[in-house]
Amino acid sequence: GPNIAPVGGQPGFARFTNTATGGSVSTFMFEIAGFASTNKFGVYNQSGQKAELFGGTNDVSDQALISFNNGDLGVTRMPWAPGNSTGLSQSLYNGFGSVFGFYLERGDGTTFYTEKSRNGGYEQAVVYQGNNATTVQIPGKNAGLFTDNEFIVAFEDLWLGGNTDRDYQDMVIMVESVKPVPEPTTLLGLGLIGGALTLKRRQKSS
């Protein structure tokens, strides 16, 4: 299908929430990084609490199911061939909420987020939304349409404020059945526009 532009194809999403079923699947696409054996990937809430989806033993085609249930969050991690990780595992995070971003944590504790405000203003992650036209195949999975409720999240694991290669291939995950949450500044801007239009109408009426 049509290409998605590496730069122009980024919608700029940083935070997400669940859809009606209350479930989401994340699939490990690839990881080309010196920190691969210790990198961790997961979701975080607005208070900074983390819920790990993948760790250093996970690799291509492994999956994590996220379940949202009345403010609590459950994670089920499932390894698949052709990778080499083994063992089903589950975790429960009470009071996690349903608004979240994605994070990458290195073995030394350094953590990067999809919200650049948490990275000192640097874009450590890029996000791509499906276009309902391009076919994608992850090793070990059947080829399928890259739909608009699917997102590719790709991280750079070296801080952009220092010495880095900016390749964004250090952890690449596809996430489905989530939807973006507008940034607070966007909501504020819409509110100001709405207020201005209301005021204008009142002035015309008077």
Side-chain angles (χ1 to χ4, degrees):
N3 292 329
I4 297 176
V7 176
Q10 299 174 32
F13 301 139
R15 299 186 308 151
F16 298 83
T17 190
N18 63 281
T19 52
T21 61
S24 173
V25 177
S26 297
T27 304
F28 199 116
M29 294 185 71
F30 60 90
E31 181 182 24
I32 305 173
F35 296 111
S37 62
T38 57
N39 278 345
K40 298 176 182 178
F41 176 93
V43 295
Y44 66 93
N45 62 16
Q46 292 308 287
S47 65
Q49 181 185 5
K50 298 175 182 176
E52 183 179 326
L53 303 184
F54 299 111
T57 60
N58 290 110
D59 50 23
V60 62
S61 82
D62 288 354
Q63 291 184 313
L65 170 65
I66 309 174
S67 299
F68 299 91
N69 186 49
N70 197 28
D72 297 333
L73 182 145
V75 178
T76 301
R77 305 171 194 87
M78 181 175 294
W80 288 104
N84 53 23
S85 58
T86 58
L88 187 71
S89 63
Q90 295 179 310
S91 301
L92 178 63
Y93 302 85
N94 293 314
F96 191 88
S98 58
V99 176
F100 58 91
F102 296 95
Y103 75 86
L104 172 68
E105 180 183 341
R106 297 192 325 213
D108 61 2
T110 301
T111 304
F112 299 118
Y113 304 88
T114 45
E115 292 178 279
K116 66 179 183 180
S117 60
R118 294 175 181 260
N119 305 319
Y122 292 101
E123 294 276 11
Q124 295 289 151
V126 292
V127 176
Y128 299 94
Q129 184 175 20
N131 57 10
N132 294 314
T134 298
T135 298
V136 173
Q137 182 165 20
I138 300 172
K141 309 296 183 190
N142 294 328
L145 198 63
F146 188 22
T147 64
D148 60 5
N149 80 330
E150 296 177 315
F151 300 85
I152 292 175
V153 182
F155 269 94
E156 168 56 51
D157 69 359
L158 296 176
W159 186 52
L160 295 182
N163 184 21
T164 177
D165 50 19
R166 298 173 182 263
D167 56 16
Y168 293 92
Q169 63 183 18
D170 301 311
M171 179 72 80
V172 183
I173 306 292
M174 181 179 285
V175 182
E176 61 96 357
S177 298
V178 297
K179 66 177 183 177
V181 173
E183 293 302 303
T185 52
T186 302
L187 294 174
L188 176 62
L190 291 174
L192 292 173
I193 292 170
L197 291 174
T198 301
L199 178 60
K200 189 174 183 180
R201 290 193 193 99
R202 287 177 178 169
Q203 288 175 339
K204 281 187 176 181
S205 298
S206 60

